[in-house]
Amino acid sequence: MAGQQRAPRQPGRAERPGRDVTAWRPGVPGVVEVFHAHFTEYAYPMHVHEAWTLLIVDDGAVRYDLDRHEHGTPHDTVSLLPPHVPHNGSAATPEGFSKRVVYLDATRLGDELIGAAVDGPDLRDPVLRRRVGQLHTALAHAGDELEAESRLTLIAERLEEHLRHRSAGGGRPPRRDPLLARRLRELLDERVAHGLALEEAAALLGAHPAHLVRAFSTAYGIAPHQYLMSRRVGRARRLLLEGRPPGEVAPAAGFYDQAHLTRHFKRLVGVTPGRYRLSARWAS
């Protein structure tokens, strides 16, 4: 995260019989809105969006009309609906459907790709499907903006490959750029506590965000957001061993709050910060 920003508005939930909706706007460049919903009987009328609609279905299936052609979204499909093109939507099964949507503005995908999206909005790509799910997980947690930016950058690149009729089965091999990777690592090392947005890093290093992520991952076998989070956990461990409480350690190590620290600390260390601190105290 680039600095300790003001907490984003918590996702709002609206419930009616057969309808369960959560929506919010995260602090990630290019993301207009995140929308999670479960519908049973509700059907969308024909409508348009100003943003790109990146949609995955977790349960059930959706049928919709786009440019007078019928389409469907089974659970292994990623659907990309272009802006300004009318479409509708309804459940394709009696049980309804659960979906997760990210609305993206034109900074992520340009208007020149609208025609290709109209021709083929439903993409069968397991890698892309997995990445979109990971993006939603990152978007749901304040403090994981760098991870969300990194994942979104690679998703947008893969979507462009599909829309420009490139191969989707593995893509081009990553171009090695060890000097760029080292410069980014040094920049991350300088910003462990303060954080760094991907767009800012790209501007400082004069590189495209997607190339920046790929160069770093190729050189070090770990994504930039994973490297930064591991450095923060390492700093947190040192502070905890000094006897400082987790609530004080979290901002000092660069975490959004104590819950953010606990989630990543437990993932990398195997125990909560509180248990780690307590065990160190007893051992001494």
Side-chain angles (χ1 to χ4, degrees), residues 23 35 38 59 62 81 84 96 130 157 160 191 202 223 244 255:
F35 183 76
H38 174 75
D59 295 299
V62 178
L81 310 185
H84 316 304
R130 183 176 68 254
E157 182 183 60
E160 285 199 27
R191 305 281 193 94
R244 297 171 65 173
F255 290 94

Side-chain angles (χ1 to χ4, degrees), residues 143-187:
D144 286 353
E145 287 81 7
L146 177 59
E147 177 180 352
E149 281 191 82
S150 299
R151 295 197 183 282
L152 181 55
T153 295
L154 297 181
I155 287 169
E157 182 183 60
R158 197 168 183 93
L159 288 171
E160 285 199 27
E161 290 180 356
H162 277 289
L163 297 181
R164 298 185 189 280
H165 307 290
R166 296 175 183 169
S167 171
R172 59 187 180 277
R175 193 179 74 193
R176 295 186 178 276
D177 197 337
L179 177 59
L180 181 64
R182 180 172 59 80
R183 292 172 63 199
L184 176 56
R185 188 187 66 183
E186 292 171 350
L187 196 56

Side-chain angles (χ1 to χ4, degrees), residues 4-15:
Q4 298 300 312
Q5 300 175 351
R6 178 172 56 88
R9 181 180 300 174
Q10 292 298 314
R13 180 176 292 276
E15 297 186 21

Side-chain angles (χ1 to χ4, degrees), residues 13 19 25 29 95 97 141 184 239 269:
R13 180 176 292 276
R19 308 180 193 182
R25 185 171 188 175
E95 296 79 17
F97 61 90
H141 295 101
L184 176 56
L239 296 176
V269 183

Side-chain angles (χ1 to χ4, degrees), residues 32-54:
V32 176
E33 180 187 335
V34 183
F35 183 76
H36 294 180
H38 174 75
F39 291 133
T40 52
E41 300 177 355
Y42 179 70
Y44 289 99
M46 295 299 292
H47 64 286
V48 300
H49 295 287
E50 295 183 3
W52 290 84
T53 302
L54 182 62

Side-chain angles (χ1 to χ4, degrees), residues 111-251:
D111 288 347
E112 73 277 6
L113 301 174
I114 289 178
V118 170
D119 294 339
D122 299 319
L123 308 172
R124 296 234 174 182
D125 181 344
V127 172
L128 179 62
R129 176 64 172 78
R130 183 176 68 254
R131 287 179 178 176
V132 174
Q134 292 170 333
L135 170 64
H136 277 278
T137 300
L139 289 170
H141 295 101
D144 286 353
E145 287 81 7
L146 177 59
E147 177 180 352
E149 281 191 82
S150 299
R151 295 197 183 282
L152 181 55
T153 295
L154 297 181
I155 287 169
E157 182 183 60
R158 197 168 183 93
L159 288 171
E160 285 199 27
E161 290 180 356
H162 277 289
L163 297 181
R164 298 185 189 280
H165 307 290
R166 296 175 183 169
S167 171
R172 59 187 180 277
R175 193 179 74 193
R176 295 186 178 276
D177 197 337
L179 177 59
L180 181 64
R182 180 172 59 80
R183 292 172 63 199
L184 176 56
R185 188 187 66 183
E186 292 171 350
L187 196 56
L188 291 171
D189 288 340
E190 294 172 1
R191 305 281 193 94
V192 171
H194 180 68
L196 182 68
L198 184 60
E199 292 291 337
E200 180 186 2
L204 289 172
L205 299 178
H208 188 278
H211 178 51
L212 202 56
V213 173
R214 289 190 181 279
F216 191 95
S217 301
T218 299
Y220 299 114
I222 188 173
H225 69 269
Q226 294 173 314
Y227 176 82
L228 179 62
M229 203 56 65
S230 65
R231 287 297 316 276
R232 286 176 169 172
V233 168
R235 176 172 292 190
R237 293 176 73 154
R238 292 193 297 273
L239 296 176
L240 289 165
L241 289 178
E242 294 174 2
R244 297 171 65 173
E248 181 182 317
V249 167

